[in-house]
Every structure is written in structure tokens, then in C-alpha cells.
């Protein structure tokens, strides 16, 4: 049995989910675009990115995603004729770290946020974090 939706004046009409492609979330699209850019031999145009993603995204959608990524510092761009060529500014780990800093910066009680984060780590991640902090400290002292 197909799902039904109420439309207009209470009439019910069968609407099948296979008529429209599944909507992807903004984060998913951003990850796809970044992945395509990382696969490029150098700076890539929005048209090139659109092609690599199979062409199911509109060119304007690709431009919108690239512009959002630029605002987040995840990509950079340079003029290429009348268009732009885009380059990823960081890898996936760098982008995740940027998101974590943004969340931390938005909170007024940084100590409470960091304490909650650290106490929620599993033992292996805690050891890794301690080792990374030790390396950072040693680099500052050295």
C-alpha cells in the first residue's frame, strides 16, 4: 500500500516516494563536493565538480555548496576567466576540527564543554588526546 498525504480541502491522494529522488542533506552534499575537489589534479571549476558528481545536481546547486564551503574556510577559489577554480583548503580531518572549534567558540563556558567532551572519550581516544597534547607541548618547548 502506498503512503497517503492530505492535500487541499482534506482530500487524500496516493503519493509514492519513488517519484522524487531522495533529498540529500547539506552536509552530505558538501562532503561529496569536497571529495570531488580532492580528486582533482589541481583547482577545479564548478562545472568539473558537477560532471564528477554525475550531473544530477544543478550547476547553481554546486555553486551554492562551493560558496558555503568558501564561507566555512573549507575551500579557496581563484579567478579562472569569467569563473572561479576551486581548491580544498583542508582535508576531512581539518574540516571536522574546524567544526569542533566553531561549536566550542559558540559556547560561553569553554571549560565545561571541554570537560564534558574529555570525560565522554573512550580510554583509547583519551590516551591519544593525551599523547597529542604532549607532542604539542614538547614542540612548543623545543
Amino acid at each position: 500500500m502506498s503512503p497517503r498525504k492530505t492535500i487541499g480541502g482534506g482530500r487524500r491522494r496516493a503519493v509514492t516516494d519513488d517519484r522524487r529522488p531522495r533529498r540529500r542533506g547539506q552536509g552530505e552534499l558538501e562532503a561529496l563536493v569536497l571529495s570531488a575537489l580532492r580528486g582533482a589534479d589541481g583547482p577545479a571549476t564548478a562545472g568539473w565538480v558537477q560532471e564528477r558528481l554525475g550531473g544530477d545536481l544543478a550547476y547553481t546547486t554546486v555553486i551554492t555548496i562551493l560558496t558555503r564551503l568558501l564561507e566555512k574556510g573549507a575551500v579557496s577559489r581563484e579567478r579562472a576567466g569569467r569563473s572561479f577554480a576551486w581548491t580544498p583548503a583542508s582535508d576531512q580531518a581539518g574540516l571536522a576540527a574546524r567544526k569542533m572549534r566553531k561549536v566550542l567558540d559558540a559556547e560561553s563556558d569553554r571549560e565545561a564543554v571541554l570537560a564534558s567532551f574529555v570525560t565522554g572519550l573512550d580510554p583509547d581516544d583519551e590516551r591519544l588526546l593525551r599523547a597529542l597534547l604532549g607532542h604539542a607541548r614538547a614542540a612548543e618547548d623545543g
Side-chain angles (χ1 to χ4, degrees):
M1 181 181 267
S2 59
R4 300 202 174 266
K5 279 189 175 175
T6 300
I7 60 170
R11 297 188 333 257
R12 294 179 78 69
R13 175 181 80 168
V15 176
T16 58
D17 293 331
D18 56 341
R19 282 196 280 178
R20 283 179 274 166
R22 180 182 72 83
R23 250 185 99 101
R24 289 178 280 219
Q26 178 180 329
E28 184 180 350
L29 290 174
E30 289 177 358
L32 288 171
V33 168
L34 278 172
S35 177
L37 283 176
R38 283 191 201 98
D41 291 334
T45 64
W48 184 91
V49 171
Q50 180 190 27
E51 232 175 74
R52 291 305 171 278
L53 297 178
D56 65 331
L57 289 178
Y59 179 81
T60 54
T61 301
V62 174
I63 290 290
T64 298
I65 294 165
L66 286 166
T67 303
R68 287 181 182 157
L69 289 169
L70 180 67
E71 291 167 357
K72 294 177 179 182
V75 298
S76 61
R77 69 181 182 187
E78 60 188 49
R79 195 49 98 170
R82 293 175 35 193
S83 187
F84 289 103
W86 304 82
T87 307
S90 64
D91 60 9
Q92 201 65 18
L95 190 55
R98 205 174 263 137
K99 287 178 186 176
M100 292 166 70
R101 279 191 302 275
K102 186 176 180 179
V103 168
L104 183 60
D105 290 345
E107 295 298 322
S108 59
D109 191 349
R110 295 174 72 89
E111 183 177 348
V113 173
L114 286 170
S116 181
F117 176 75
V118 170
T119 58
L121 292 174
D122 68 41
D124 289 337
D125 287 339
E126 185 179 342
R127 275 191 290 280
L128 177 59
L129 182 57
R130 287 181 190 282
L132 291 170
L133 289 170
H135 291 305
R137 216 173 274 128
E140 286 176 1
D141 295 341

